Amino acid sequence: MANEDLWILGINMTKFGKHPDKDVVDLAAEAAMAALADGGVTMADMGVLAAGNLMGAAAGVGQQLQKQIGQTGIPVFNVANACATGATAIRTVIMAIKAGECEMGLAVGVEKLSGAGMLGAGMGVAASDTWTPSGRFGAVSSLEGKTGTDMMPGVFAQVGMEYGHKYGGTSFELFARISEKNHRNSTLNPLAAIQKDMSLEQIMNEPMIAYPNTRAMCSANSDGAAAAVIVSGEKLRTLSAEQQKRAVKISASVLTSDPYEEGCQILPNVNTLTRMAAKQAYELAGIGPEDLDLVELHDCFATAELVHYDNLMLCPEGGAVDFFNSGATWRDGSTPVNVSGGLESKGHPIAATGIANIWEICHHLRGEAGPRQIEGAKVGLAHVIGLGSACGVHILEKSGL
Amino acid sequence: MSNQIPLVEYLVLGDAPHLVANECTACGARYFDRRNACASCFGTSFASVDIATEGEVRAFTIVTPWMPGTAPYVPAVVDCGGTSVRGNVVNTTPDAEHITLGMKVRLTTVPFGADTAGTEAIGYGFEPIN
Ligand SMILES: [Zn+2]
């Protein structure tokens, strides 16, 4: 049982964007009910539910969802793991099934974010009329903007610049061209929050948020949900031929956190934990990066996409710039990356993102991606990272059943 | 000097302002915050060490502030003799012509205003070495 492959039986994502008329539970219910229908099952078949809603992490979105779509008494795990929350929900269901606790489960991620502005926690220090040291740094004031920045745009800008310092070859224009690729891809994805082809000049002339990322190079805050039904191989074999044919094999599911390295508490190191997760996933799946037909990676900012080419070992170490310049990651390249449009245009409803990336891969492996179908796709990789940090990598394969 | 207070406890003011770190006595890992234990080796013994005041910019960004009319600022990671330090690059024009990867910088102090008792908070930044 423990070594048997698990499968995605049903999966769905809502349109990402603005949903002013729907609340968090509406969006979660829409994705969850559609994922159940996609898999040809109901809440009565589910043995576990894992649900994430980062902005409402204390509210118990899993039970709120059950009260709308089916209260069956199953265990609920409400999970929160920054931008890796959705992948963590999936991982939780997988662990429950692998442990033999149940044979089928539902993972849901949902967020309402449109209009939320740029995200990132400052180190809050209460204002006082006399300077009083407090907190772990003995700070007399909020440090945000005074000793660097903890805001996401500034952090991920530095991540890309650090790569440029280490290996050379980066420029404002290079990062903007990565964004140009993803915005081009979004024009084929009707579920993307922003479907707008943008020229390199337009992207570079957008307002600068944190050099070298302009507004078009930052992920779009949006509302949305995604959900997946996961099933054991043993149970899948008892289901219909159609269900077996559309099921997608989970060849690897890995979640890591950042190990200690010099400087990792100064600027978050998003590299090592991603490389660790990728390495483990390739080993588990018995698949190499050269076998991947498409990749959905966490381009929360254009600068982040570049470093993850390297971290996911899609290119030789230090070779991400040459790899991108070769055209490899465009739709018609050897390793298409973010054919969904990526977070920069598809949108980034935080807890939904880690399941939506998997949905995109499944969509292609099932041959159901319409105009943006990567022809003959058999293997794909989905990656997310949440600062703090948590990294999820899933490798998925087309059903051979 | 008594009417000054450092912005953070790891900044030592005086004639030769510098940063201090908590160094793990077992493995040498350095931290700027209050510690419970070492994240690298789990040790619980730390010694205070002075950090080099000159270094090299390993990464930077130029943040456009939300408030219109406020100047952009330059968060950076500076390699100070092998120890990574975070801080803003100051005393130069905040644009990509004046800030470059690998540029040499030195620690300097930055005032952040006085409280109601007249005590001035002093922070730090890194300025280019010409
Ligand atoms: Zn140690």
Side-chain angles (χ1 to χ4, degrees):
Chain A
M1 182 69 191
N3 291 322
E4 198 185 49
D5 286 317
L6 269 52
W7 300 74
I8 290 175
L9 183 63
I11 189 162
N12 179 266
M13 69 175 273
T14 67
K15 160 93 178 159
F16 283 2
K18 291 187 174 69
H19 289 288
D21 52 335
K22 289 177 182 155
D23 65 19
V24 160
V25 178
D26 288 325
L27 289 166
E30 181 182 328
M33 291 165 74
L36 290 164
D38 186 49
V41 289
T42 74
M43 281 302 283
D45 300 302
M46 298 302 110
V48 63
L49 169 63
N53 171 229
L54 196 65
M55 294 295 126
V61 70
Q63 285 87 344
Q64 289 185 54
L65 175 64
Q66 283 183 308
K67 286 178 176 59
Q68 296 300 323
I69 70 167
Q71 291 174 257
T72 56
I74 58 172
V76 172
F77 296 85
N78 290 294
V79 300
N81 222 351
C83 301
T85 295
T88 302
I90 294 240
R91 185 85 194 102
T92 302
V93 170
I94 288 173
M95 288 195 296
I97 298 174
K98 284 218 170 214
E101 297 266 338
C102 59
E103 48 196 13
M104 217 185 283
L106 177 65
V108 185
V110 59
E111 214 74 55
K112 283 210 71 168
L113 271 186
S114 55
M118 290 294 169
L119 300 172
M123 281 178 276
V125 175
S128 152
D129 63 349
T130 54
W131 300 123
T132 309
S134 71
R136 287 200 167 252
F137 293 99
V140 301
S141 144
S142 160
L143 297 181
E144 180 55 36
K146 298 189 182 79
T147 59
T149 182
D150 282 329
M151 302 290 279
M152 301 290 160
V155 169
F156 279 98
Q158 290 180 81
V159 163
M161 296 296 278
E162 185 181 43
Y163 190 87
H165 181 49
K166 198 167 172 190
Y167 299 113
T170 60
S171 65
F172 175 28
E173 185 185 320
L174 174 95
F175 291 120
R177 283 173 53 222
I178 291 174
S179 187
E180 180 190 18
K181 168 182 71 70
N182 291 351
H183 285 289
R184 178 80 44 81
N185 287 342
S186 76
T187 61
L188 298 172
N189 184 358
L191 297 185
I194 304 165
Q195 279 191 275
K196 190 176 163 196
D197 197 7
M198 294 185 82
S199 70
L200 186 60
E201 292 67 31
Q202 279 176 306
I203 290 166
M204 293 178 77
N205 287 327
E206 281 266 294
M208 185 60 74
I209 302 294
Y211 179 90
N213 289 323
T214 66
R215 189 173 58 191
M217 298 157 73
C218 302
S219 50
N221 285 333
S222 42
D223 308 334
V229 175
I230 296 159
V231 64
S232 70
E234 193 180 344
K235 177 70 179 175
L236 179 64
R237 283 190 292 277
T238 69
L239 302 178
S240 75
E242 178 63 11
Q243 282 168 309
Q244 294 189 35
K245 189 169 141 294
R246 288 186 72 251
V248 171
K249 187 169 126 186
I250 304 168
S251 302
S253 169
V254 177
L255 190 68
T256 56
S257 62
D258 48 331
Y260 179 82
E261 282 178 282
E262 200 288 318
C264 75
Q265 296 192 15
I266 298 298
L267 179 69
N269 181 335
V270 302
N271 303 315
T272 305
L273 83 164
T274 298
R275 188 170 286 272
M276 277 170 53
K279 212 168 166 225
Q280 288 175 35
Y282 292 133
E283 279 169 18
L284 280 167
I287 277 168
E290 65 285 353
D291 300 319
L292 299 172
D293 296 309
L294 75 161
V295 171
E296 287 285 305
L297 64 74
H298 201 73
D299 65 321
C300 48
F301 298 89
T303 43
E305 176 159 329
L306 184 84
V307 304
H308 293 315
Y309 294 156
D310 198 325
N311 296 330
L312 295 172
M313 294 177 271
L314 307 181
C315 62
E317 198 166 340
V321 172
D322 290 344
F323 182 65
F324 175 73
N325 284 335
S326 77
T329 62
W330 286 75
R331 270 190 62 82
D332 57 357
S334 54
T335 312
V337 173
N338 291 334
V339 296
S340 66
L343 278 52
E344 291 164 67
S345 39
K346 182 175 71 177
H348 185 21
I350 303 177
T353 294
I355 301 176
N357 289 354
I358 291 173
W359 177 85
E360 180 71 21
I361 301 288
C362 290
H363 213 42
H364 290 269
L365 299 183
R366 287 165 155 186
E368 297 173 357
R372 74 176 184 288
Q373 176 70 39
I374 296 296
E375 283 310 320
K378 289 188 172 60
V379 190
L381 180 149
H383 158 259
V384 283
I385 187 161
L387 273 196
S389 295
C391 175
V393 169
H394 287 86
I395 294 178
L396 304 151
E397 285 186 83
K398 186 184 175 73
S399 172
L401 299 174
Chain B
M1 295 303 289
S2 60
N3 60 347
Q4 288 189 339
I5 187 169
L7 177 71
V8 285
E9 273 169 1
Y10 64 86
L11 169 63
V12 177
L13 299 174
D15 293 337
H18 62 281
L19 306 181
V20 290
N22 294 315
E23 185 179 85
C24 173
T25 55
C27 78
R30 289 178 170 186
Y31 305 92
F32 290 99
D33 61 346
R34 175 167 60 78
R35 299 304 301 179
N36 298 93
C38 175
S40 179
C41 76
F42 331 131
T44 53
S45 167
F46 293 89
S48 182
V49 292
D50 292 352
I51 302 297
T53 55
E54 295 191 358
E56 181 182 296
V57 172
R58 205 175 73 209
F60 72 90
T61 181
I62 306 167
V63 176
T64 311
W66 296 104
M67 298 255 279
T70 21
Y73 59 96
V74 187
V77 178
V78 178
D79 181 343
C80 292
T83 301
S84 297
V85 179
R86 56 183 282 171
N88 293 345
V89 177
V90 297
N91 299 340
T92 185
T93 312
D95 64 33
E97 279 90 77
H98 293 83
I99 321 280
T100 52
L101 291 168
M103 76 190 285
K104 303 280 187 271
V105 292
R106 75 165 77 87
L107 188 89
T108 185
T109 54
V110 179
F112 282 104
D115 63 14
T116 51
T119 304
E120 194 179 25
I122 305 291
Y124 68 92
F126 291 92
E127 64 183 7
I129 301 172
N130 295 314

mmCIF file of all heavy atoms in Angstrom, chain B residues 24 26-29 38 40-43, ligand 1:
data_model
loop_
_atom_site.group_PDB
_atom_site.id
_atom_site.type_symbol
_atom_site.label_atom_id
_atom_site.label_comp_id
_atom_site.label_asym_id
_atom_site.label_seq_id
_atom_site.Cartn_x
_atom_site.Cartn_y
_atom_site.Cartn_z
ATOM 1 N N CYS B 24 27.045 31.177 17.177
ATOM 2 C CA CYS B 24 26.966 29.879 17.849
ATOM 3 C C CYS B 24 28.380 29.405 18.173
ATOM 4 O O CYS B 24 29.235 29.350 17.289
ATOM 5 C CB CYS B 24 26.262 28.870 16.929
ATOM 6 S SG CYS B 24 26.281 27.185 17.571
ATOM 7 N N ALA B 26 29.336 26.553 18.927
ATOM 8 C CA ALA B 26 29.601 25.193 18.436
ATOM 9 C C ALA B 26 29.879 25.183 16.938
ATOM 10 O O ALA B 26 30.839 24.559 16.483
ATOM 11 C CB ALA B 26 28.415 24.282 18.753
ATOM 12 N N CYS B 27 29.074 25.894 16.136
ATOM 13 C CA CYS B 27 29.224 25.757 14.677
ATOM 14 C C CYS B 27 29.545 27.064 13.973
ATOM 15 O O CYS B 27 29.822 27.068 12.775
ATOM 16 C CB CYS B 27 27.966 25.128 14.064
ATOM 17 S SG CYS B 27 26.586 26.275 13.880
ATOM 18 N N GLY B 28 29.480 28.185 14.683
ATOM 19 C CA GLY B 28 29.867 29.455 14.062
ATOM 20 C C GLY B 28 28.760 30.162 13.304
ATOM 21 O O GLY B 28 28.987 31.242 12.752
ATOM 22 N N ALA B 29 27.562 29.585 13.256
ATOM 23 C CA ALA B 29 26.448 30.265 12.570
ATOM 24 C C ALA B 29 26.161 31.592 13.278
ATOM 25 O O ALA B 29 26.218 31.679 14.502
ATOM 26 C CB ALA B 29 25.208 29.378 12.576
ATOM 27 N N CYS B 38 20.421 27.262 18.117
ATOM 28 C CA CYS B 38 21.006 27.439 16.791
ATOM 29 C C CYS B 38 20.216 26.628 15.766
ATOM 30 O O CYS B 38 19.982 25.438 15.950
ATOM 31 C CB CYS B 38 22.461 26.980 16.809
ATOM 32 S SG CYS B 38 23.237 27.035 15.180
ATOM 33 N N SER B 40 21.180 25.761 12.953
ATOM 34 C CA SER B 40 22.055 24.882 12.181
ATOM 35 C C SER B 40 22.434 23.625 12.965
ATOM 36 O O SER B 40 22.347 22.525 12.443
ATOM 37 C CB SER B 40 23.319 25.652 11.786
ATOM 38 O OG SER B 40 24.192 24.826 11.061
ATOM 39 N N CYS B 41 22.866 23.797 14.228
ATOM 40 C CA CYS B 41 23.374 22.633 14.977
ATOM 41 C C CYS B 41 22.597 22.394 16.256
ATOM 42 O O CYS B 41 22.912 21.482 17.009
ATOM 43 C CB CYS B 41 24.856 22.808 15.281
ATOM 44 S SG CYS B 41 25.192 23.968 16.611
ATOM 45 N N PHE B 42 21.624 23.232 16.572
ATOM 46 C CA PHE B 42 20.743 23.119 17.737
ATOM 47 C C PHE B 42 21.446 23.468 19.052
ATOM 48 O O PHE B 42 20.890 23.283 20.125
ATOM 49 C CB PHE B 42 20.082 21.723 17.845
ATOM 50 C CG PHE B 42 19.882 21.033 16.506
ATOM 51 C CD1 PHE B 42 20.278 19.708 16.325
ATOM 52 C CD2 PHE B 42 19.321 21.705 15.432
ATOM 53 C CE1 PHE B 42 20.118 19.084 15.090
ATOM 54 C CE2 PHE B 42 19.157 21.081 14.193
ATOM 55 C CZ PHE B 42 19.558 19.763 14.016
ATOM 56 N N GLY B 43 22.691 23.966 18.967
ATOM 57 C CA GLY B 43 23.419 24.371 20.166
ATOM 58 C C GLY B 43 22.746 25.548 20.844
ATOM 59 O O GLY B 43 21.944 26.264 20.239
HETATM 60 ZN ZN ZN C 1 25.283 26.117 15.724
#
